[in-house]
Amino acid sequence: MSLEWLVAWGWSLDGLRDCIAAGIQSVRDCDTTAAVSVACLLALFVWYCYHVGREQPRAYASVNALMQGPDAAGLQNGFVYCQSAECVRCSHSEGLNQKLYHNLQEYAKRYSWSGMGRIHKGIREQGRYLSSRPSIQKPEVFFLPDLPTAPYFSREAQKHDVELLERNFQTILCEFETLYKAFSNCSLPQGWKMNSTPSGEWVTFYLVNQGVCVPRNCRKCPRTYRLLGSLRTCIGNNVFGNACLSVLSPGTVITEHYGPTNIRVRCHLGLKTPSGCELVVGGEPQCWAEGRCLLFDDSFLHTAFHEGPAEDGPRAVFMVDLWHPHVAAAERQALDFIFAPGR
């Protein structure tokens, strides 16, 4: 047995020696210029991957990271307040168009001008677009030209995300009900924001506000927050993206207003929808339904109200902003860059 093992081991060593010798000879026979060229190309590829990866819009943080991490700066009562005079979401100054054009040029230098025709056209003529729009649709910050326009969208416009939200209706409703119980002990629990209305009360609980995650609130709705990461068209990396619970008490009327842009579709998933509640967009009324999504373009003049009696309880929806289905992938990436929070 020992003799046979030694013979086999000797053959193994011979084979290994032959393999090493063949490898050394292959290196000697290799064209040095070709090897250097391949090495340079590989180095350039690694550098490019690092550069592009570093500049990509940030992804949602994991829930575990939120559970452990400190709250983000600039959060008050769970709501992000703008602290910059140059915020493109809130600014209406004369220099806004120049700033947007500068951001577009910076994006094109880093990536490409390919597919930027509509964005370039929109930024260069933004003042004319916003001033000449009919009163029924007047986005306040940015108008992307040549997009199909209508007050409401069919469920097919973002079918995957609509069906995913509706399948998780009970999950979202359960977390909402747990949160809303806090109102029995406090007029405005931590994390909720009171909005101005001519009558009644309209409160919101943001998970993502103007493209910025609200960590404290996300920790209170971990399953709903995880769901956002599964949506294919959720706007989460620019100032036009929001996700929140929105609640109207009986007797509430929201003043008619316009949203900031036409590049998004606002989606409402009905959680609590008593009778006497309506959404009116572009003069067309619609009613919410529990467990069903309602999609609309909030750059149209719109309002909402709850005229039901007090015993009916509040109207509650989960609101999330999705990309307009006719905004191309290249345009979405560019708009994320141009309208990145804090840019």
Side-chain angles (χ1 to χ4, degrees), residues 276-295:
C277 300
E278 271 190 11
L279 171 69
V280 182
V281 183
E284 299 181 20
Q286 290 277 1
C287 294
W288 297 275
E290 293 181 5
R292 300 284 288 179
C293 287
L294 182 61
L295 278 63

Side-chain angles (χ1 to χ4, degrees), residues 15-294:
L16 179 61
R17 185 178 63 251
D18 292 342
C19 181
I20 294 173
I24 294 173
Q25 187 61 39
S26 297
V27 172
R28 289 174 178 173
D29 294 340
C30 179
D31 187 339
T32 304
T33 304
V36 172
S37 298
V38 170
C40 290
L41 289 173
L42 180 61
L44 285 172
F45 176 73
V46 171
W47 175 86
Y48 175 79
C49 291
Y50 167 77
H51 179 73
V52 171
R54 186 184 59 179
E55 296 297 335
Q56 286 297 315
R58 59 176 177 78
Y60 286 113
S62 67
V63 174
N64 289 337
L66 290 175
M67 296 292 185
Q68 300 172 2
D71 289 341
L75 295 180
Q76 301 178 23
N77 196 29
F79 183 75
V80 179
Y81 289 86
C82 177
Q83 299 183 3
S84 171
E86 299 180 353
C87 172
V88 294
R89 172 64 179 83
C90 306
S91 173
H92 298 279
S93 66
E94 292 296 324
L96 176 60
N97 290 352
Q98 287 80 1
K99 182 174 182 178
L100 296 182
Y101 188 65
H102 171 77
N103 290 349
L104 174 60
Q105 286 182 314
E106 185 178 350
Y107 172 85
K109 289 177 182 177
R110 296 187 184 191
Y111 301 101
S112 171
W113 278 103
S114 178
M116 297 300 104
R118 282 198 300 193
I119 296 178
H120 181 265
K121 177 182 177 182
I123 291 177
R124 292 299 296 268
E125 303 185 38
Q126 197 63 204
R128 180 174 67 84
Y129 284 131
L130 296 184
S131 62
S132 63
R133 294 296 304 167
S135 59
I136 194 173
Q137 184 191 29
K138 280 195 172 184
E140 296 182 337
V141 178
F142 179 73
F143 178 78
L144 185 64
D146 306 324
L147 279 183
T149 181
Y152 294 96
F153 288 80
S154 72
R155 296 164 47 82
E156 301 300 313
Q158 298 295 3
K159 183 177 180 180
H160 173 273
D161 289 352
V162 165
E163 292 179 348
L164 185 60
L165 286 167
E166 291 179 351
R167 284 199 304 270
N168 287 273
F169 162 67
Q170 288 295 339
T171 295
I172 300 172
L173 177 63
C174 181
E175 292 194 329
F176 161 72
E177 290 177 334
T178 300
L179 280 172
Y180 200 69
K181 288 177 182 177
F183 277 92
S184 61
N185 301 318
C186 178
S187 59
L188 188 66
Q190 189 177 58
W192 291 88
K193 174 184 177 290
M194 183 72 70
N195 300 281
S196 176
T197 57
S199 63
E201 290 185 350
W202 172 27
V203 293
T204 46
F205 187 87
Y206 278 89
L207 304 184
V208 178
N209 181 31
Q210 296 184 19
V212 178
C213 172
V214 185
R216 179 181 297 173
N217 289 0
C218 292
R219 288 196 291 267
K220 295 179 180 179
C221 299
R223 290 179 293 176
T224 302
Y225 178 75
R226 286 192 186 98
L227 180 63
L228 291 177
S230 300
L231 299 177
R232 293 177 181 174
T233 62
C234 177
I235 301 178
N237 295 307
N238 71 53
V239 295
F240 299 129
N242 304 274
C244 72
L245 296 164
S246 176
V247 181
L248 300 183
S249 63
T252 300
V253 176
I254 298 177
T255 304
E256 289 187 321
H257 61 287
Y258 303 98
T261 183
N262 66 327
I263 67 171
R264 71 188 185 189
V265 174
R266 179 148 284 185
C267 176
H268 281 184
L269 173 65
L271 302 178
K272 298 286 186 179
T273 59
S275 59
C277 300
E278 271 190 11
L279 171 69
V280 182
V281 183
E284 299 181 20
Q286 290 277 1
C287 294
W288 297 275
E290 293 181 5
R292 300 284 288 179
C293 287
L294 182 61

